[in-house]
């Protein structure tokens, strides 16, 4: 799980060009949206959906389904672990 | 105020305005479901030309996009004569992705396509390409109004054209914006747009007295249509999601309707893409502008979203229908799924009113509204042009900044050393980074005046969004590694650059992106003066921003005070 969380952080940081967010600061429990968290927006979610398909073979057709999944890196990791196809 | 003297619609529903009008009147739609087309893994519904239609429209030596535009213009020109002085005629091309399928070849550049189209119809003036995403077709008509009203040209041929492709459809699919069923504007069940292809042409004349629009022959009435007034306002909110309160669209509608009687309006032709956010926002803006009771029609259930063509095509159809005393039903609509109080028309209605409003909104936060009115043979338009002449307008450069790939400093270096407080910089494509850094630098020397609520941003270039186009293409060209990137696709619309800067600096005036054959300073100056005359805008950021590659870019941006 720890490895998966770390992989996801790296992949998200790269795919979303989170240049100024260091890996140390990147808290897997921090909310991904809103000003108190990582501050992602709707396009970022779509980019994470692409990333999940590319790296883990997970297809999320409707971004609305993702609301619970995309709370934090931790919740994404739990979803990936349960549903990954590669 | 300028007059419409000829029109054409060339679409899968027909190759003339009349064929299209009759098809829509009888409820036809060109929307079909496609599965596996262009190797796309997900199905989609679209309005596409058949192979037979494509063969009939093709012109040897031209791409299909160019041929489509040329055919449409030539058909329109059969209804009118433009006089002999071709130096007084300008071509304005509205498209979002033009010859995108030719990426890598010379004709990819939208201005090259425009030049080939202009030459094919015998013009020698420099064509102007309007690239404001979905609102381009209305922006192009506003530009025609300005250039003709200021006497720079006598005639403007406004052609909107779009050809669909794997590039565009995969892009909108990865944004989860495409429906696999025929779209349902404003409906509770709506779930996305349908891509459409078409070309549509309006020929405008400066002097209405010399010409009469051919549609009088078509439906036997001695009347013609005028573009009375138009306005363009940015949300300054988000590049892809419209302002939930419809701020920009409300401002644009209010600017157009200022001092005018809404009871003159037969109808509002909505943008109505059938995406959740667009239709919802439009309903809110219409209510806020006090136009809840005006009959609202959305035409995308017939044609899908024809993108660069949409603003021209939907204007023509609404003109013809209103002239014929008819309000067209919104095909696909059955039950309202928007919160704003709007009067959506779901079956054909009669009208005896003489004016209508066309509205559009698009990526990059841009919104445009325009009002049209029909006048009788010897009558005058009821409404008068509100713009003043540019004779009274002076653009004074407050500060200019030049940046180029020759400077020896990368944009990232400049950002880190001199700006540094906007991490979104790293998400931007090269074109946007270039314009962003230049804007930051020039505004640090000459800040916008606080009292101007409507600062404008008008940019020009030659290379469109070529760097982002190449990057996005890389994500879709390999079938085994097909992962279209939503964030890259967004930047394949060059006006996203204007949207990013509008958000950063709360620019709620006009934002426009024009593509020219070259950095023609005189033409740019004419466009700027014509655009900024008679508006509430007192400050503007304008200039040239061109990025061919990481090692070849150039930007010259100025802050202007308008006095």
């Amino acid at each position: 799980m720890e490895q998966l969380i770390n992989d996801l952080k790296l992949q998200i940081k790269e795919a979303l060009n989170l240049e100024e967010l260091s890996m140390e600061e990147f808290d897997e429990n921090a909310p991904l949206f809103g000003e108190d968290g990582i501050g992602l927006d709707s396009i970022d979610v779509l980019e994470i959906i692409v990333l999940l398909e590319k790296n883990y073979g997970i297809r999320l057709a409707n971004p609305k389904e993702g609301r619970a999944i995309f709370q934090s890196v931790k919740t994404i990791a739990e979803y990936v672990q349960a549903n990954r196809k590669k | 105020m300028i007059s419409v003297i000829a029109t054409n619609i060339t679409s899968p529903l027909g190759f003339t305005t009349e064929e299209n009008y009759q098809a829509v009147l009888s409820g036809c739609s060109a929307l079909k479901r496609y599965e596996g087309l262009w190797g796309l893994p997900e199905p989609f519904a679209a309005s596409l030309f058949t192979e037979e239609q494509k063969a009939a429209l093709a012109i040897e030596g031209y791409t299909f996009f160019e041929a489509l535009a040329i055919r449409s213009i030539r058909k329109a020109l059969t209804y009118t004569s433009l006089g002999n002085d071709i130096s007084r005629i300008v071509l304005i091309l509205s498209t979002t992705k033009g010859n995108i399928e030719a990426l890598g070849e010379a004709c990819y550049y939208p201005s090259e396509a425009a030049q080939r189209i202009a030459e094919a119809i015998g013009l020698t003036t420099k064509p102007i390409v309007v690239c404001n995403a979905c609102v381009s077709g209305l922006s192009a008509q506003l530009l025609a109004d300005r250039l003709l009203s200021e006497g720079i040209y006598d005639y403007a041929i406004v052609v909107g054209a779009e050809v669909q492709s794997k590039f565009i459809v995969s892009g909108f699919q990865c944004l989860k914006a495409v429906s696999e069923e025929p779209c349902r504007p404003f409906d509770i069940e709506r779930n996305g747009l349908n891509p459409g292809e078409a070309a549509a042409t309006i020929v405008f004349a400066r002097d209405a007295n010399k010409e009469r629009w051919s549609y009088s022959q078509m439906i036997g009435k001695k009347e013609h249509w005028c573009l009375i007034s138009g306005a363009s306002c940015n949300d300054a909110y988000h590049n892809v999601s419209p302002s939930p309160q419809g701020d920009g669209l409300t401002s644009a509608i209010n600017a157009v309707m200022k001092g005018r009687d809404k009871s003159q309006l037969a109808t509002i032709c909505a943008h109505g893409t059938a995406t959740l956010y667009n239709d919802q926002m439009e309903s809110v803006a219409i209510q806020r502008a006090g136009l809840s009771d005006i009959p609202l029609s959305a035409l995308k259930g017939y044609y899908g979203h024809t993108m660069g063509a949409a603003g021209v095509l939907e204007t023509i159809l609404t003109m013809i229908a209103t002239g014929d005393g008819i309000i067209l039903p919104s095909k696909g609509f059955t039950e309202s799924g928007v919160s704003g109080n709007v009067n959506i028309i779901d079956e054909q209605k009669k009208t005896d009113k003489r004016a209508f409003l066309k509205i559009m909104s698009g990526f990059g936060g841009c919104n445009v509204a325009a009002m049209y009115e029909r006048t009788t043979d010897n009558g005058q338009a009821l409404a008068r042009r509100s713009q003043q002449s540019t004779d009274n307008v002076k653009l004074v450069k407050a500060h200019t900044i030049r940046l180029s790939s020759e400077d020896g400093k990368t944009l990232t270096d400049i950002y880190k050393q001199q700006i540094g407080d906007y991490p979104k910089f790293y998400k931007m494509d090269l074109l946007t980074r270039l314009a962003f850094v230049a804007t930051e630098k020039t505004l640090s020397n000459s800040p916008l005046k606080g009292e101007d609520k409507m600062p404008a941003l008008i940019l020009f270039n030659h290379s469109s969004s070529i760097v982002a186009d190449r990057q996005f293409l890389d994500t879709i060209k390999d079938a085994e590694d097909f992962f279209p990137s939503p964030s890259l696709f967004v930047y394949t619309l060059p006006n996203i650059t204007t949207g990013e800067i509008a958000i950063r600096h709360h620019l709620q005036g006009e934002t426009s992106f024009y593509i020219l054959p070259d950095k023609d300073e005189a033409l740019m100056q004419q466009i700027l003066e014509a655009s900024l005359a008679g508006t509430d805008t007192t400050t503007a950021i304008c200039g040239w921003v061109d990025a061919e590659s990481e090692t070849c870019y150039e930007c010259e941006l100025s802050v202007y005070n308008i006095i």
Side-chain angles (χ1 to χ4, degrees), chain B residues 234 236-237 239 364 422 424 428 431-440 442-443 448 455-459 491 494-508 511 513 541-542 545 555 557:
Chain B
N234 201 289
Y237 172 75
N239 256 328
Y422 204 64
K424 217 179 160 195
M428 297 172 184
L431 182 69
T432 308
R433 286 184 185 194
L434 179 59
F436 174 83
V437 168
T439 307
E440 295 304 300
T442 187
L443 287 182
L448 291 171
L457 174 65
I458 300 177
L459 301 178
Y491 286 104
N495 75 308
I496 291 295
T497 299
T498 58
E500 290 282 13
I501 294 167
I503 294 167
R504 166 73 160 168
H505 293 287
H506 311 290
L507 311 177
Q508 294 186 306
T511 53
F513 204 104
I541 305 162
C542 308
V545 51
C555 179
L557 219 57

Side-chain angles (χ1 to χ4, degrees), chain B residues 156-313:
Chain B
I157 299 172
V158 174
V159 62
E162 208 71 55
V163 172
Q164 293 298 334
S165 59
K166 181 178 182 180
F167 189 101
I168 300 178
V169 178
S170 66
F172 279 98
Q173 280 184 324
C174 75
L175 292 174
K176 310 290 179 200
V178 178
S179 173
E180 51 181 281
E181 304 302 328
C183 68
R184 309 190 61 176
F186 295 98
D187 193 83
I188 186 121
E189 304 274 353
R190 72 185 184 281
N191 64 354
L193 60 80
N194 304 138
E197 44 192 18
T201 303
I202 302 179
V203 184
F204 287 103
R206 187 160 73 98
D207 184 350
N209 293 322
K210 282 188 187 159
E211 307 283 349
R212 282 294 173 263
W213 183 24
S214 55
Y215 108 102
S216 55
Q217 296 148 19
M218 198 175 110
I219 52 177
K221 286 182 185 168
K222 289 241 174 233
E223 289 171 327
H224 70 282
W225 279 94
C226 295
L227 167 51
I228 299 290
S229 170
S232 176
C233 298
N234 201 289
D235 284 337
Y237 172 75
H238 191 274
N239 256 328
V240 179
S241 306
S243 142
Q245 279 74 45
D247 286 342
L249 183 56
T250 308
S251 302
I253 296 174
N254 284 341
V256 168
M257 294 305 294
K258 193 174 174 185
R260 301 184 201 285
D261 178 4
K262 69 169 184 170
S263 70
Q264 290 175 14
L265 292 176
T267 180
I268 301 170
C269 178
H271 189 34
T273 59
T275 59
L276 287 178
Y277 293 106
N278 175 80
D279 296 8
Q280 166 59 22
M281 177 283 288
E282 268 189 297
S283 77
V284 172
I286 290 166
Q287 181 175 352
R288 278 182 71 190
L291 302 179
S292 288
D293 53 333
I294 309 295
L296 183 69
S297 281
L299 304 176
K300 297 216 167 39
Y302 304 97
Y303 293 96
H305 191 341
T306 55
M307 302 180 183
V312 187
L313 186 156

Side-chain angles (χ1 to χ4, degrees), chain B residues 195-463:
Chain B
E197 44 192 18
T201 303
I202 302 179
V203 184
F204 287 103
R206 187 160 73 98
D207 184 350
N209 293 322
K210 282 188 187 159
E211 307 283 349
R212 282 294 173 263
W213 183 24
S214 55
Y215 108 102
S216 55
Q217 296 148 19
M218 198 175 110
I219 52 177
K221 286 182 185 168
K222 289 241 174 233
E223 289 171 327
H224 70 282
W225 279 94
C226 295
L227 167 51
I228 299 290
S229 170
S232 176
C233 298
N234 201 289
D235 284 337
Y237 172 75
H238 191 274
N239 256 328
V240 179
S241 306
S243 142
Q245 279 74 45
D247 286 342
L249 183 56
T250 308
S251 302
I253 296 174
N254 284 341
V256 168
M257 294 305 294
K258 193 174 174 185
R260 301 184 201 285
D261 178 4
K262 69 169 184 170
S263 70
Q264 290 175 14
L265 292 176
T267 180
I268 301 170
C269 178
H271 189 34
T273 59
T275 59
L276 287 178
Y277 293 106
N278 175 80
D279 296 8
Q280 166 59 22
M281 177 283 288
E282 268 189 297
S283 77
V284 172
I286 290 166
Q287 181 175 352
R288 278 182 71 190
L291 302 179
S292 288
D293 53 333
I294 309 295
L296 183 69
S297 281
L299 304 176
K300 297 216 167 39
Y302 304 97
Y303 293 96
H305 191 341
T306 55
M307 302 180 183
V312 187
L313 186 156
E314 293 171 9
T315 298
I316 297 171
L317 268 184
T318 310
M319 247 177 223
I320 300 280
T322 312
D324 199 19
I326 283 172
I327 300 170
L328 294 168
S330 310
K331 195 176 175 68
F333 172 84
T334 47
E335 187 190 345
S336 176
V338 292
S339 76
N341 183 14
V342 283
N343 179 13
I344 305 157
I345 299 302
D346 59 356
E347 54 186 29
Q348 219 181 84
K349 279 203 160 60
K350 295 262 180 236
T351 182
D352 56 3
K353 295 187 177 174
R354 318 175 65 86
F356 70 89
L357 193 66
K358 174 76 192 115
I359 53 176
M360 302 196 98
S361 300
F363 286 177
C366 42
N367 303 273
V368 182
M371 183 179 167
Y372 301 79
E373 189 174 57
R374 147 173 92 100
T375 65
T376 51
D377 205 22
N378 51 7
Q380 294 292 314
L382 295 171
R384 274 162 301 278
R385 177 177 158 75
S386 59
Q387 283 198 359
Q388 61 196 75
S389 163
T390 45
D391 292 345
N392 306 322
V393 168
K394 253 199 185 128
L395 298 185
V396 181
K397 269 186 198 175
H399 187 260
T400 298
I401 183 94
R402 289 179 190 82
L403 288 174
S404 98
S405 43
E406 314 278 291
D407 293 346
K409 248 187 185 179
T410 68
L411 295 171
T412 307
D413 287 344
I414 302 173
Y415 168 77
K416 280 184 182 162
Q417 288 159 14
Q418 299 175 31
I419 307 163
D421 65 341
Y422 204 64
K424 217 179 160 195
F425 171 82
Y426 295 103
K427 292 174 181 274
M428 297 172 184
D429 74 324
L430 181 67
L431 182 69
T432 308
R433 286 184 185 194
L434 179 59
F436 174 83
V437 168
T439 307
E440 295 304 300
K441 283 179 67 99
T442 187
L443 287 182
S444 71
N445 277 286
S446 179
L448 291 171
K449 287 180 285 182
E451 69 268 25
D452 185 1
K453 297 283 175 273
M454 306 296 273
L457 174 65
I458 300 177
L459 301 178
F460 302 86
N461 85 358
H462 168 262
S463 305

Side-chain angles (χ1 to χ4, degrees), chain A residues 15-20 39-51 53-55 59-64 67 86, chain B residues 41-42 174-176 238 240-241 276-277 415-416 420-424 426-428 433 481-488 490:
Chain A
L16 273 45
N17 295 305
L18 304 174
E19 201 72 26
E20 292 178 355
L40 304 189
D41 80 352
S42 53
I43 296 287
D44 295 321
V45 174
L46 296 171
E47 205 63 57
I48 296 176
I49 291 177
V50 173
L51 178 162
E53 188 178 349
K54 202 172 180 171
N55 297 323
R59 293 204 67 168
L60 261 176
N62 181 359
K64 288 243 158 75
R67 199 154 284 179
K86 60 181 181 186
Chain B
E42 289 170 38
C174 75
L175 292 174
K176 310 290 179 200
H238 191 274
V240 179
S241 306
L276 287 178
Y277 293 106
Y415 168 77
K416 280 184 182 162
D421 65 341
Y422 204 64
K424 217 179 160 195
Y426 295 103
K427 292 174 181 274
M428 297 172 184
R433 286 184 185 194
D481 189 28
F482 179 85
F483 295 104
S485 161
S487 55
L488 288 176
V490 168

